[in-house]
């Protein structure tokens, strides 16, 4: 596999294999500590990040490799007017693999056509975020022991939330998946995801704006932040940002073995009291991000 731009670039078998390797790394990290000796990962982040960039960097370090890159466009030659294509061509001479995040949808895809080394999409605007999805799948597999036969509630900003788009794309390929899509009217899932992914794959789904209505049926509750940076005006954001605040009260009817996920960062959408609930998996999920990225780097560099 040359690049990872969309989660569909990976087959179900490849995803299963990545999860298997990631679980093995979790158990035997020392076995992997020199696998990427003399290899370099470049992280080119044209948009803010904590987990994605640092987990990529920690992943490469734990594999014995090195990292370089920038964490904001303003500290790179982008500020002087350099195109993404030129930046990518040059960075390929300094690194073996590149993880890139960009506010423009499709930028990593364009970059991949110019790059001499593999490109990983670390988030492109409100479009996709395939490595977050791998993180989510590892977390679900770890918590539930399966990726099929699940009722998954997705709540919050389903319109701009790229992690939601990629996760739905991935889940649509597993058997017996039901989706409960919970959002305010203005932040509903885009039509193209509904038509091309959900309906095309005959996924059973419901759209609602009520977080409690189907709570008792959920195996997974995937909370998301309202994506402030994608709004055209502040007023709409302010009106919608606290639409959902998950707390202990709202979880009263939930299953005992519900898994609550969130790609993080959290703003207000999960009350901190929920952190103490054993069903809260979001910090574990962030940890899973490092292990699955280790497995991914090994795969993309073709290291056994
Ligand atoms: C997500 C993202 O960047 O899309 N964060 C992440 O990578 N863990 C979610 C978000 O920013 O809300």
């Amino acid at each position: 596999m040359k690049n990872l731009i969309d989660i569909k670039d990976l087959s179900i078998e490849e995803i299963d294999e990545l999860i298997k390797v990631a679980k093995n790394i979790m158990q035997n990290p020392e076995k992997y500590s020199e696998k990427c000796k003399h290899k370099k990962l470049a992280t080119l982040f044209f948009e803010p990040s904590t987990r994605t960039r640092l987990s990529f960097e920690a992943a490469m370090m734990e594999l014995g490799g090195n990292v370089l890159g920038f964490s904001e466009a303003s500290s790179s030659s982008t500020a002087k007017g350099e195109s993404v294509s030129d930046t990518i061509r040059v960075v390929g001479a300094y690194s073996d693999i590149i993880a890139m995040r960009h506010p423009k949808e499709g930028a990593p895809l364009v970059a991949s056509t110019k790059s001499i080394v593999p490109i990983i999409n670390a988030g492109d605007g409100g479009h996709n975020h395939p490595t977050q999805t791998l993180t989510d799948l590892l977390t679900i597999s770890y918590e539930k022991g399966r990726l099929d036969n699940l009722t998954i509630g997705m709540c919050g900003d389903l319109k701009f939330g790229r992690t939601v788009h990629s996760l739905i794309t991935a889940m649509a390929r597993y058997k017996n998946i039901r989706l409960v899509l919970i959002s305010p009217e203005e932040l509903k899932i885009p039509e193209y995801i509904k038509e091309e992914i959900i309906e095309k794959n005959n996924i059973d789904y419901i759209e609602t704006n009520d977080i409690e209505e189907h709570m008792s049926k959920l195996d997974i509750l995937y909370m998301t932040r309202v994506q402030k940076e994608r709004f055209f005006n502040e007023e709409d954001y302010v009106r919608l940002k606290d639409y959902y605040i998950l707390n202990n009260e709202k979880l009263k009817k939930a299953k005992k073995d519900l898994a609550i996920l969130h790609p993080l960062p959290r703003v207000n959408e999960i009350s901190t009291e929920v952190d103490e609930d054993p069903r809260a998996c979001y910090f574990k999920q962030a940890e899973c991000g490092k292990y699955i990225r280790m497995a991914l780097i090994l795969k993309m560099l073709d290291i056994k």
Side-chain angles (χ1 to χ4, degrees):
M1 185 181 67
K2 171 91 200 308
N3 304 297
L4 177 62
I5 305 299
D6 189 296
I7 193 67
K8 280 189 290 197
D9 295 339
L10 290 164
S11 67
I12 292 285
E13 292 72 27
E14 287 176 308
I15 290 176
D16 287 347
E17 182 61 26
L18 285 173
I19 290 175
K20 207 170 108 192
V21 173
K23 286 180 177 169
N24 193 271
I25 298 172
M26 282 163 130
Q27 275 152 14
N28 312 288
E30 66 294 339
K31 255 176 46 189
Y32 293 85
S33 64
E34 298 204 344
K35 292 272 185 200
C36 285
K37 218 169 164 184
H38 308 305
K39 296 286 184 193
K40 292 191 284 302
L41 164 81
T43 52
L44 309 188
F45 277 60
F46 298 88
E47 218 188 41
S49 169
T50 299
R51 272 148 295 273
T52 305
R53 186 173 62 84
L54 297 184
S55 68
F56 260 118
E57 295 187 355
M60 192 49 152
M61 288 173 184
E62 290 197 19
L63 292 167
N66 291 303
V67 296
L68 67 165
F70 53 81
S71 55
E72 46 189 331
S74 61
S75 66
S76 75
S77 282
T78 306
K80 299 180 185 171
E82 185 171 54
S83 69
V84 171
S85 298
D86 283 2
T87 304
I88 286 290
R89 254 174 112 141
V90 171
V91 175
Y94 308 148
S95 60
D96 301 286
I97 186 163
I98 297 174
M100 171 187 169
R101 169 172 288 188
H102 200 281
K104 278 217 180 80
E105 286 82 5
L109 176 63
V110 173
S112 70
T113 65
K114 303 287 177 200
S115 181
I116 54 172
V117 301
I119 297 280
I120 302 171
N121 177 5
D124 63 325
H127 190 217
N128 278 327
H129 194 346
T131 66
Q132 180 63 45
T133 297
L134 292 173
T135 302
D136 302 340
L137 295 176
L138 173 60
T139 311
I140 295 171
S141 164
Y142 189 84
E143 293 295 330
K144 311 296 296 181
R146 63 180 194 276
L147 290 169
D148 51 11
N149 294 307
L150 292 166
T151 300
I152 306 172
M154 296 189 166
C155 177
D157 189 347
L158 309 188
K159 179 179 179 188
F160 297 118
R162 57 192 173 195
T163 67
V164 169
H165 305 160
S166 290
L167 184 56
I168 290 178
T169 307
M171 292 313 313
R173 295 188 292 181
Y174 291 91
K175 287 202 184 71
N176 201 14
I177 296 297
R178 290 160 302 277
L179 297 175
V180 180
L181 303 172
I182 310 155
S183 73
E185 186 62 31
E186 294 96 323
L187 299 177
K188 278 166 80 169
I189 199 88
E191 279 303 312
Y192 79 93
I193 304 263
K194 222 154 66 176
E195 284 166 20
E196 290 164 33
I197 313 282
I198 301 178
E199 287 168 1
K200 216 181 222 167
N201 288 285
N202 290 314
I203 305 290
D204 186 347
Y205 77 99
I206 303 167
E207 290 185 285
T208 174
N209 64 4
D210 185 346
I211 190 172
E212 282 169 281
E213 192 184 356
H214 301 279
M215 186 65 85
S216 63
K217 296 180 211 137
L218 304 180
D219 299 304
I220 308 284
L221 175 57
Y222 193 92
M223 295 296 296
T224 62
R225 165 182 77 91
V226 175
Q227 306 279 298
K228 180 178 187 200
E229 63 275 39
R230 319 252 180 255
F231 275 70
F232 295 109
N233 70 68
E234 174 87 14
E235 214 177 285
D236 286 346
Y237 171 70
V238 169
R239 186 167 48 81
L240 295 167
K241 71 184 175 63
D242 293 331
Y243 202 95
Y244 300 107
I245 300 178
L246 184 68
N247 56 18
N248 292 342
E249 176 65 31
K250 295 204 172 72
L251 283 166
K252 273 211 169 116
K253 291 202 186 113
K255 287 187 181 175
K256 292 267 175 294
D257 64 345
L258 169 75
I260 306 165
L261 273 65
H262 189 312
L264 304 180
R266 152 176 64 186
V267 185
N268 269 334
E269 56 283 351
I270 303 181
S271 161
T272 52
E273 68 181 21
V274 178
D275 300 358
E276 308 309 318
D277 190 307
R279 294 169 292 187
C281 301
Y282 28 92
F283 292 114
K284 178 76 199 171
Q285 184 182 359
E287 202 185 319
C288 283
K290 181 181 73 180
Y291 296 109
I292 201 76
R293 289 182 174 101
M294 288 172 80
L296 180 68
I297 291 169
L298 290 173
K299 177 178 172 60
M300 293 187 72
L301 291 178
D302 212 12
I303 295 170
K304 297 282 168 287

